[in-house]
Amino acid sequence: MLHVVLVEPEIPQNCGNIARTCAATGSSLHLVRPLGFDISQDAIRRNMKRCGLDYWHLVEVSDYENLEDLFRRHPEAASDLWLTTTKAPRSYVEANFTANSWLFFGKETAGLPEDLRMRWYDRCVRIPMRPDARSLNLANSVAVLTYEALRQQGFPGLDGTGEMAENA
């Protein structure tokens, strides 16, 4: 299973959209605190339901007090992680994702912590864009990398055809 990790996400609508991507792809979602929003059931219904629509039952969501908590509970993450950052030395297309990769994304206003990026410098990748563009929206970035990782695996468990295929 592919793992999407949001480190200190701030915007509930982004999280809802990312949860929907995880639900549609069978990826798990990991939230590292502090969060910029409440993830109680009432708050999810109120703040993120529209973005995630009725997909919440399809996504496995875990939350952690901090990065140390995540790595303590999932030591395997350290052996197959990729950090997405605009500061990375290479494009995400150079990464070799596996079915169990952990894709890390930073908060909307500051990205991933520098110490994390320096610790795994060789695992930092970026999405190519114009030099005068600061970054993509977090939910879009997650979608780009999630689908690239799944493409490299042959889209395991995902349906590659729609109803139009029946009429062809």
Side-chain angles (χ1 to χ4, degrees):
M1 172 183 294
L2 197 61
H3 302 272
V4 172
V5 180
L6 304 183
V7 179
E8 302 180 12
E10 300 167 312
I11 301 172
Q13 293 82 358
N14 279 338
C15 188
N17 284 322
I18 292 164
R20 185 172 182 167
T21 296
C22 289
T25 61
S27 304
S28 62
L29 178 58
H30 303 267
L31 305 175
V32 178
R33 294 176 185 273
L35 308 177
F37 47 87
D38 182 5
I39 58 171
S40 68
Q41 287 300 321
D42 288 340
I44 287 174
R45 279 193 294 275
R46 186 174 58 252
N47 297 328
M48 293 187 277
K49 179 84 169 174
R50 182 176 172 94
C51 300
L53 295 175
D54 56 350
Y55 289 76
W56 284 100
H57 69 286
L58 296 176
V59 63
E60 176 185 321
V61 181
S62 303
D63 68 301
Y64 308 87
E65 289 304 313
N66 50 42
L67 283 167
E68 293 76 24
D69 183 30
L70 181 140
F71 287 115
R72 181 182 53 75
R73 291 166 52 187
H74 296 285
E76 71 277 11
S79 65
D80 191 8
L81 58 76
W82 294 95
L83 310 179
T84 306
T85 172
T86 59
K87 299 163 182 66
R90 71 186 149 287
S91 167
Y92 72 92
V93 299
E94 298 177 47
N96 292 312
F97 300 108
T98 71
N100 297 309
S101 286
W102 292 70
L103 309 178
F104 283 70
F105 300 85
K107 62 182 167 182
E108 291 89 342
T109 58
L112 290 167
E114 183 178 9
D115 62 329
L116 183 70
R117 289 184 282 118
M118 291 300 103
R119 182 174 176 191
W120 281 291
Y121 180 87
D122 292 336
R123 306 294 282 191
C124 290
V125 294
R126 73 186 311 269
I127 299 170
M129 64 187 79
R130 295 171 48 152
D132 55 343
R134 198 171 55 249
S135 64
L136 290 175
N137 172 275
L138 179 60
N140 292 335
S141 297
V142 169
V144 167
L145 259 75
T146 298
Y147 272 92
E148 172 59 15
L150 292 168
R151 183 196 66 78
Q152 288 185 16
Q153 305 307 309
F155 298 110
L158 303 182
D159 188 0
T161 61
E163 64 185 49
M164 291 174 64
E166 297 170 9
N167 301 326

